[in-house]
Each structure stands twice: as structure tokens, then as C-alpha cells.
Amino acid sequence: MVRGRISQLSVRDVRFPTSLGGHGSDAMHTDPDYSAAYVVIETDAEDGIKGCGITFTLGKGTEVVVCAVNALAHHVLNKDLKDIVGDFRGFYRQLTSDGQLRWDPRMLVSCIDFRYITDVLTEEDALEILQKGQVGKKEREKQMLAQGYPAYTTSCAWLGYSDDTLKQLCAQALKDGWTRFKVKVGADLQDDVRRCQIIRDMIGPEKTLMMDANQRWDVPEAVEWMSKLAKFKPLWIEEPTSPDDILGHAAISKALVPLGIGIATGEQCHNRVIFKQLLQAKALQFLQIDSCRLGSVNENLSVLLMAKKFEIPVCPHAGGVGLCELVQHLIIFDYISVSASLKNRMCEYVDHLHEHFKYPVMMQRASYMPPKDPGYSTEMKEESVKKHQYPDGEVWKKLLAAQEN
């Protein structure tokens, strides 16, 4: 039984100057500083249990998220944990309507808010999916412990990297056993052709290549641009246009699927309703949840279940600050308890900033190995938080002083 009362909540603005090395750069975000609003919730339980959470950002604006956390803190402080778990759906609605336990299927369903999605997924549908997911569950758990969940790498081909850096990182990734690669595109067509040719030549015709435009194009431009990159045989083009344009994604999908190119999107989708409409409109072939953007395990569960209903593979977005640590739990749960399939499924991996976490992801043979420590793997090392807290941490004091000079 979960016991204890939430006695304290703290939130800090933690930023890493990744823009200095071009890490994370793409067609829309040329100089991101990977950052996070880092939340720690403490309880008065005898064992001192606490919870850690993050919201990933790209630097500027993290202070706004910190303010939002503080504004919502009164909904959480002094709440008894058993009351929260006892009515998770009600607690979730309270949080979202104001401006890790091994649960069985029925308890899992009780955590999900089905409002606005019952035309696609009802509570009974979800329960049936989860009950069917019990079949073969032990075998899938053993498979994950032995082999891990397949991943793909984005670390080789950020748009700000030189061709030499791209080649060096790609060669190292191949040496390390990676077979699935994603390249950033969308800023300049001739650059894209050159860089995609480099990667395809290095990885060969059998390994998997994906492309990511990070919302750069209008709909006709996306179709035209990708028609010219189709010769490199990408499995998908990710975020070809505005993440809010459901019908635009559907039009691009209709044009590119005959060329063998799927549409992947979702990392910018902020709620289950947008995912519902993308699925209804046949606007994507690969669904990309983001563990922070959807703002709770509960909301992610509803999307995983809808994806199963439509038989669309989930291939999560990860990277940033702590996104790999977070999403590993969701995607391994999806395989073991929901989808029961690895066909066309993989999880993004970016090799940045894991050293700042107390329980970083464990990768073997280009796969996520299941975490064995309790919790959501979000606890940062206190030394890292202090050094990178903005603007008073040691790292930022030096950088800001240098900019002034």
C-alpha cells in the first residue's frame, strides 16, 4: 500500500549549453540549449519516498514552465498518496482542468481519462486490449530482459554538424552495432541530398534510414522535397509540416505512401484528442509519443491504447534532457502489455546528457535494456543540477560573464 503525504515540492530551471557544440540542431531549431524544469516532490513517509519529474525545453522559456509548476503546486501539496492512487482519474482531471505500481488492467484503465475519445476508444475497449495483453506477457518480459527494446540513433546527423563529423559519428555508430539511423533535413535541398547520400553510402542499402524535417515545410513543399529524397529509401519523413495540421499530414501521407515513405509525427502533440484525429484521418504511419509533451503517464496510456486499436506502430520521440530515461518505461510497457509486437517499432535514442541522471538509460546492442531501479528514472544528480541551474549555476555564471565581455 502506498503511504505518505506530499509535504514539499520544489522546481528548478536546469539548462545545458548544448548549442555550443551544435547538438540538437535541426531545420527549425538552430541553437537549442537542452533544458528542463526539474521537479522534486517529497513526502512525510518514514522511508522518505520522493518523486522526480522533468519537462524538457530548449532553453528560453524554461522559466515559464517553472512558474506553471508553482502555480499548480497547491493541487499536489498536502495530498495523501493513497487518495491520489485511489482516484487517479479525478486527480488528473483536477490538475489538467485548472487553467510505479504493477497495476492490473482494470486499475490501469481507471487512471485514464476517456473524455473526448470514446468515439475511438471506450473504457471497455481499453480493458479488452489490456486483458488480451496478458497473454504471453511473461515471455515478452523475459525477451526484454534478455534483448532489450530496439532503438534508432539521431546522434550522428544533426543539421549543424559538418560532413566530417557526420561521417565520423556514423562510422562509430556502425561499429557499435547500430542498424537504424535518422538524419535531419529541411533547410536546404542540395545539402540534404549530399548528406543523405553520405549516410546511405556508409550504412548500405539494407540498414534503415529515417528523415526528420522538424515542421519546416508547407504541405506542397513537403511532397515535392520528399519526392526528390525518395531515392534514398527513407522509412519515414518525420514532422513534414505544422504538427497541428492534421489534414495536411493526411495529404502528405496520401502522396508519399505510394513512394514507400511513411509519415511519422506526434512529438509536438499535446493531448490525446490530436492523436485521435491523426489516427482517424490516416495521417500517420508511425506514431511518436513524447513522454513530456503529453504531460503524464495517464495521457500517454490513452494514446498507446488508441494506437493499438488502429494497429499503428508506436516509435517514441526521445533525446533532449531525460526523454530517453522517461520514454523507455512507456515503450517497454507498450510491448509487454499493449501492442505485443516489435514489427516496425523502434525507440529514438540520442547520446547526450545521460551522465547527469542517477539512473541513466542502459543501452546494449543498439537496444534499450529494461531499467531495474524503482521509479521513472528522472532523478538528476544534485551536483549536475547545482552546476547547470539557470542563471546562478557555475556553468551559466561563466557563460553569461563571457557573453557580457
Side-chain angles (χ1 to χ4, degrees):
M1 176 65 69
V2 178
R3 291 187 176 88
R5 181 182 59 85
I6 296 174
S7 58
Q8 188 173 331
L9 184 153
S10 63
V11 55
R12 288 184 280 179
D13 182 338
V14 183
R15 307 188 191 189
F16 300 91
T18 52
S19 61
L20 298 178
H23 310 313
S25 55
D26 57 50
M28 290 291 280
H29 315 95
T30 56
D31 58 348
D33 284 324
Y34 278 177
S35 308
Y38 179 54
V39 180
V40 178
I41 294 175
E42 299 182 36
T43 71
D44 60 6
E46 290 183 5
D47 58 1
I49 188 172
K50 65 180 180 180
C52 304
I54 61 172
T55 292
F56 170 57
T57 71
L58 296 181
K60 294 175 183 176
T62 311
E63 68 277 8
V64 177
V65 182
V66 169
C67 288
V69 171
N70 283 322
L72 291 169
H74 68 280
H75 287 299
V76 178
L77 287 170
N78 299 313
K79 287 286 192 302
D80 197 289
L81 295 181
K82 70 175 187 299
D83 293 335
I84 293 174
V85 174
D87 183 21
F88 228 135
R89 186 180 300 164
F91 176 70
Y92 174 73
R93 282 189 178 181
Q94 185 182 40
L95 278 174
T96 58
S97 295
D98 187 22
Q100 228 157 49
L101 296 171
R102 282 176 82 86
W103 296 328
D104 62 42
R106 197 168 297 278
M107 186 174 284
L108 273 171
V109 169
S110 74
C111 299
I112 299 169
D113 191 349
F114 291 92
R115 184 165 50 183
Y116 310 133
I117 63 171
T118 54
D119 52 329
V120 162
L121 184 78
T122 66
E123 194 162 341
E124 292 74 22
D125 294 333
L127 186 59
E128 181 181 356
I129 290 171
L130 290 167
Q131 286 172 337
K132 287 181 178 178
Q134 297 295 298
V135 179
K137 183 177 177 180
K138 291 294 182 184
E139 289 73 17
R140 293 192 293 276
E141 287 180 352
K142 290 178 182 177
Q143 182 184 358
M144 286 293 97
L145 288 169
Q147 301 175 11
Y149 197 95
Y152 71 87
T153 179
T154 306
S155 299
C156 303
W158 296 112
L159 213 57
Y161 285 177
S162 68
D163 288 358
D164 286 343
T165 299
L166 187 155
K167 291 175 185 177
Q168 177 186 351
L169 294 175
C170 189
Q172 184 60 52
L174 286 167
K175 185 178 179 181
D176 292 339
W178 291 92
T179 61
R180 304 172 182 90
F181 299 79
K182 189 169 78 178
V183 58
K184 297 289 185 176
V185 299
D188 180 274
L189 180 58
Q190 294 309 310
D191 282 345
D192 288 349
V193 170
R194 186 189 72 256
R195 295 168 73 252
C196 289
Q197 187 69 65
I198 290 171
I199 292 183
R200 181 51 85 187
D201 287 346
M202 291 189 71
I203 70 175
E206 301 304 321
K207 293 183 174 62
T208 304
L209 179 65
M210 290 82 70
M211 299 178 184
D212 185 356
N214 289 95
Q215 321 125 45
R216 181 63 183 253
W217 303 317
D218 282 352
V219 172
E221 187 180 18
V223 174
E224 181 182 4
W225 202 298
M226 286 309 301
S227 297
K228 295 175 181 176
L229 296 180
K231 62 182 179 180
F232 300 110
K233 303 296 182 184
L235 177 66
W236 74 53
I237 175 61
E238 184 173 328
E239 291 197 310
T241 193
S242 166
D244 300 321
D245 190 354
I246 294 160
L247 297 182
H249 276 89
I252 297 169
S253 173
K254 186 176 181 180
L256 295 184
V257 166
L259 300 179
I261 304 172
I263 306 301
T265 195
E267 70 177 80
Q268 300 289 340
C269 293
H270 53 281
N271 63 46
R272 62 194 182 279
V273 179
I274 300 297
F275 276 109
K276 179 189 77 169
Q277 294 180 1
L278 285 165
L279 290 164
Q280 287 174 314
K282 299 181 180 179
L284 77 175
Q285 285 70 50
F286 301 90
L287 186 148
Q288 295 180 305
I289 57 170
D290 179 283
S291 51
C292 284
R293 180 72 65 175
L294 275 176
S296 73
V297 173
N298 312 56
E299 192 86 352
N300 274 288
L301 288 175
S302 67
V303 176
L304 294 177
L305 289 161
M306 285 192 290
K308 173 60 179 177
K309 183 86 178 284
F310 282 82
E311 293 297 339
I312 294 294
V314 177
C315 301
H317 168 254
V321 178
L323 297 187
C324 295
E325 279 72 19
L326 285 165
V327 84
Q328 62 178 333
H329 297 271
L330 297 172
I331 198 59
I332 292 174
F333 166 80
D334 180 61
Y335 172 61
I336 291 174
S337 298
V338 182
S339 73
S341 173
L342 291 178
K343 183 179 180 182
N344 283 330
R345 288 166 167 83
M346 63 191 93
C347 185
E348 185 170 22
Y349 175 72
V350 177
D351 190 17
H352 298 307
L353 307 177
H354 303 293
E355 67 274 16
H356 300 292
F357 285 84
K358 190 172 180 180
Y359 307 106
V361 290
M362 298 177 293
M363 304 296 294
Q364 290 183 18
R365 302 178 299 276
S367 297
Y368 281 87
M369 301 309 294
K372 296 181 180 179
D373 298 293
Y376 207 20
S377 307
T378 48
E379 186 173 357
M380 285 187 178
K381 295 176 181 177
E382 185 59 26
E383 180 184 358
S384 291
V385 174
K386 287 180 178 178
K387 286 180 66 175
H388 294 89
Q389 189 164 336
Y390 186 88
D392 299 322
E394 174 188 333
V395 169
W396 287 103
K397 279 185 176 179
K398 291 180 179 179
L399 284 172
L400 292 173
Q403 289 173 7
E404 290 175 1
N405 296 329

